[in-house]
Amino acid sequence: MSINRAEKITMWTACAAIFSFILMRVFHSELYRPIADRAYLFVHSGIEFISYAVSFTMLVLGWLFFVKSLSKHRLYTAALFGAVGVFDMLHGLTAEGMPFFHPVGETTLSALFSMSAQFIGSVGLFIIFRKNDAPVSARKRLPAMLISLGFATAVGFAYFAMADQSGIAVLAGESLELLRVLVYFVIIFSYLSTIGMVLYLNRNERPQALLTIIQSLVFFLFANLQFILSAGVVDTDMLLGHVYKLAGFYFLMKGIYYVTLEEPFKQQKRTESRINFLAYHDELTGLSNRRQLQEQLNAELVRAQQSNHKLAVFLLDIDRFKTFNDALGHSFGDQMLQAVSQRLRLAAGKSNHVFRMGGDEFVVLMPDIKDTETELVDTRAKALMGLFDAPFVLGEAEYHITISLGISFYPQDGESVEVLLKNADTAMYCAKAHRNEFSSYDPEMNRKSHDRLRLESDLRRAIDQEQFTLAYQPLVNLSTGKVIGVEALVRWNHPQRGLLPPGDFIPLTEENGLILQLGEWVLKAACKQNVAWQEAGLPPMMMSVNLSMRQFRQHQLAERIKGILDSTGMPPKYLELEITESMTSDVEFASDTLTSLKEIGVQISIDDFGTGYSSLISLKRFPIDKLKIDRSFVSDLAQGGSDAAIVATITTMAKNLKLKVTAEGVENDEQIKFLRERNCEEAQGFYFTKPIPANLFENWYRHRSSQTA
C-alpha cells in the first residue's frame, strides 16, 4: 500500500515526539533543573494563554466558518475546546503567584482546572471520534456551544465554592493521589484509544485534516506522560510537559487551518481549474471543444498569413452513428465517441490539433502547408480514413464503422474561422452522400447544400400537406406464379421537382426525426389501400411495410400499430412489417419488441438479409416469418460464384428454420430459374413490374390474373 506525503509527515512527527520523550527520560538527571518562581510563572502564563487563544479560535471557527459544511466532528470539537479553553484560562489565572491562587485540600484550584482540562479534552475527543463524521444541522450550533460553556462555567463555580470549604477528604492524602492516578490513566487511555479509532475508521482514506489531529493527539499524550512523571511543580519536567501541550495545540490549530482555509482554497482552485477545463474541453472525450477550436484556428490563421503557408481543416463525422445510437443506446454511443476520439488523438500527433465539435463531429487541423506539399493533405486524409479500418472492441463485440470527411483550405476556401468550418462541413456532407469517403470543398457544393436545406424545409410542409403517395411492387409466389402480396414504397410528389424517389428524402427524414410522422402515414395509407382493394373485389393479400430504426425504437410501437389496424379495419394477419438486420443488434430489445408485435398478429420479415449484423444464434430467438435476400446477391446469380452460393445457403438455412424466403431485385428468367431450383418461395422485382400507383396496380393485377387463370 502506497503512503502519501501527509501520512509520511504524520509518521515522522510521531517518531520525533517518541524519540524526544525517550531522550528526555534517558538524560533526565542531566536535563532536570528547578526554575525560579517568577520565571516559571511568566512562561507558564504565556503558554496557558496561548492554549486558551487556540481553544477560543476553534470555538469561533466552529461557530462562523462551518455553517455550510457543518459536521458532528467539527461542531462538537469546537464546543469541546470551548470548555477546555475556559479551564486552561482558569488554570493560568489560579496558578501560584496569580491573583486568584487558592489551595483546595492538599491541592490547588490551578491543579484542579489543569486536570479537568486534560480529562475533558481527552474523553471528549474519544467520544467525538468513536464514529465516522456525518453532516449536522446548523441549528445545533447554539445548543452545543451553550451546553459546553455552561458546563465549564458550572464546574468553575463549583471549584471556587470548594476552595472556601475545609476538610475535603477526597482532595487529601492517599485519596488525592489515587484520584490523580485514576484521572491520568483515563487521559492516557483516551488519547491512545482515540488515535487507534481514527486510524481504523479512516484506514482506506486518510484525509490530511485527520492526520494533523493524530499529530496533535500524540503530543497531548506525551504532555500528560510528562506531567505524570514530573518530579516537582516548578521545574523543567513541568515546563517540557507544557511545551508538548503547546505542540499539540499547534498541530490542532494546523488541522483547523487546513479545514477552514487551505482545504476550501484548494477546493476552490480545483473547481476553478475544472470550470476552465470544461470551458475549453469536451467533458465526454477530453478533447478541445468548439470554443478552443475557434481560438486555436484563429491563431493558426494568423501564423499562416505571416508565413504565407496554407492550412487545411478536416471535418469528419461517423457514418450511421444515429443508427448505432438508436439501436444500442446512448451509453454505447458515448463509448464509441470516446474510442473514436482516442484514435484521433493518437493520430493527430499534437493534442491541440484535434477537436470535438459536438455530437459525432470532429475537427483535425493541418497547419504549415507549403505550396509544394498540397499532396500531403490527401495522404493525411487517407490516413485518417484508415484509422477506422480496424474494428472497435466495445464490451464483448467488435464494431466496424466508417467516417465521412470534408476538407477546406486557407486561403482559397475562406480566410475566417466561420467560413472555413462552414465549407469543410459542406464538403463533408458531399462525401457523406456516398459514405466512407473524403472530399475537398468546391464552390459548387454550396448550391447543393442550399438545395438540401430547401428540400428539408419543403419536407416539413409536405408532411403537413400530405404530398406523399405510395407505389406498390408485387410479391409473386414462384411455384404458382400468383401475386400473394405487395410492398408499399413511398414517393414524394413535390410541387416543383415532381415525383421524388425515397433516396432523395428518406435520409433527411431520419436525420430530423420526421421519419416517425412519415412512417405512421405510410403504414396507415397502406392499410387503407389494402382494405379498399378487398372491398373492390381483389382477394386478400399481404401488405408489406418497412419500419425505420426510429420507428422500431419508438415507445409502445405495438400499441400504435394495433391502433392503426383497428382504425383502418385491416386484419393484422395481412400486414407484414419489414425490419433490417441492424435493428436487431440489441438482441434483448429486438426480441421483446418483435414478440409484442407478433402478439397483435402481424407478420415479421428481415429485409436486405445478408448485409447486416444478425447472427444465427440471435436469429433463432426472434419470432420472424421471412427472410428477404438483398438485391445485391440476386443481381449476379446467373454468373454463379459467391453470390449464388450465398443465396443457396440462405434458402437452405431458412428452410431448416421453417422460414419463408423472398428474393428482391429479380430482373430476368435466369434468376427466376435459379431461385426455383433452390426452393425460394417468393420473389419481387422489375421482372414482374416496377413499383406502380394503386389504381394502376389494380388494373395490372386483374390483367395478370386473367392470363394466369
Side-chain angles (χ1 to χ4, degrees), residues 287-288 296 300 312 314 316 339-356 362-367 380-381 383-385 387-388:
L287 294 178
S288 299
Q296 181 69 25
E300 294 293 349
F314 299 86
L316 62 95
V340 168
S341 67
Q342 184 64 19
R343 287 195 185 180
L344 289 174
R345 184 186 285 109
L346 293 175
K350 293 184 178 180
S351 59
N352 62 344
H353 285 171
V354 57
F355 309 83
R356 184 187 178 200
F362 298 85
V363 168
V364 178
L365 300 183
M366 185 176 178
R380 183 66 174 278
L384 287 173
M385 303 291 291
L387 289 175
F388 302 93

Side-chain angles (χ1 to χ4, degrees), residues 1-167:
M1 182 180 69
S2 61
I3 302 177
N4 60 37
R5 182 173 179 271
E7 290 173 334
K8 290 180 180 178
I9 292 175
T10 301
M11 292 171 62
W12 281 110
T13 302
C15 290
I18 295 171
F19 186 66
S20 64
F21 181 78
I22 293 174
L23 283 178
M24 284 191 298
R25 302 318 303 173
V26 170
F27 299 101
H28 180 263
S29 59
E30 289 82 1
L31 295 174
Y32 179 81
R33 294 286 186 279
I35 301 175
D37 291 346
R38 292 179 62 83
Y40 181 83
L41 180 63
F42 177 78
V43 175
H44 174 262
S45 300
I47 292 175
E48 292 304 331
F49 282 117
I50 290 174
S51 300
Y52 168 72
V54 173
S55 299
F56 181 75
T57 301
M58 293 181 63
L59 178 68
V60 173
L61 290 176
W63 180 264
L64 298 178
F65 283 83
F66 292 139
V67 177
K68 294 183 179 179
S69 58
L70 195 63
S71 66
K72 289 182 177 180
H73 285 181
R74 293 173 181 177
L75 174 62
Y76 298 145
T77 301
L80 172 67
F81 276 88
V84 170
V86 171
F87 288 134
D88 278 337
M89 179 183 67
L90 294 174
H91 166 60
L93 292 174
T94 57
E96 188 173 357
M98 296 296 285
F100 299 102
F101 172 77
H102 202 292
V104 180
E106 295 182 6
T107 185
T108 64
L109 280 176
S110 180
L112 289 178
F113 283 124
S114 177
M115 292 176 63
S116 298
Q118 297 299 320
F119 183 85
I120 295 299
S122 62
V123 174
L125 289 174
F126 174 80
I127 295 172
I128 292 170
F129 286 98
R130 76 186 190 282
K131 293 183 179 179
N132 282 321
D133 203 6
V136 66
S137 172
R139 292 195 300 267
K140 291 190 176 182
R141 288 183 302 158
L142 184 60
M145 301 304 175
L146 289 178
I147 291 173
S148 173
L149 296 179
F151 170 77
T153 303
V155 172
F157 278 115
Y159 284 170
F160 276 107
M162 290 169 55
D164 295 330
Q165 298 180 12
S166 59

Side-chain angles (χ1 to χ4, degrees), residues 472 474 483 486 533 538 541 692-701:
Y472 300 90
V483 178
V486 292
W533 280 335
L538 270 65
M541 65 179 70
I692 51 180
N695 58 340
L696 295 182
F697 173 81
E698 187 175 342
N699 295 334
W700 177 88
Y701 178 85

Side-chain angles (χ1 to χ4, degrees), residues 466-488:
E466 296 190 1
Q467 295 175 4
F468 298 96
T469 185
L470 295 180
Y472 300 90
Q473 187 169 45
L475 181 66
V476 178
N477 186 293
L478 292 179
S479 299
T480 64
K482 292 184 178 180
V483 178
I484 57 175
V486 292
E487 181 178 356

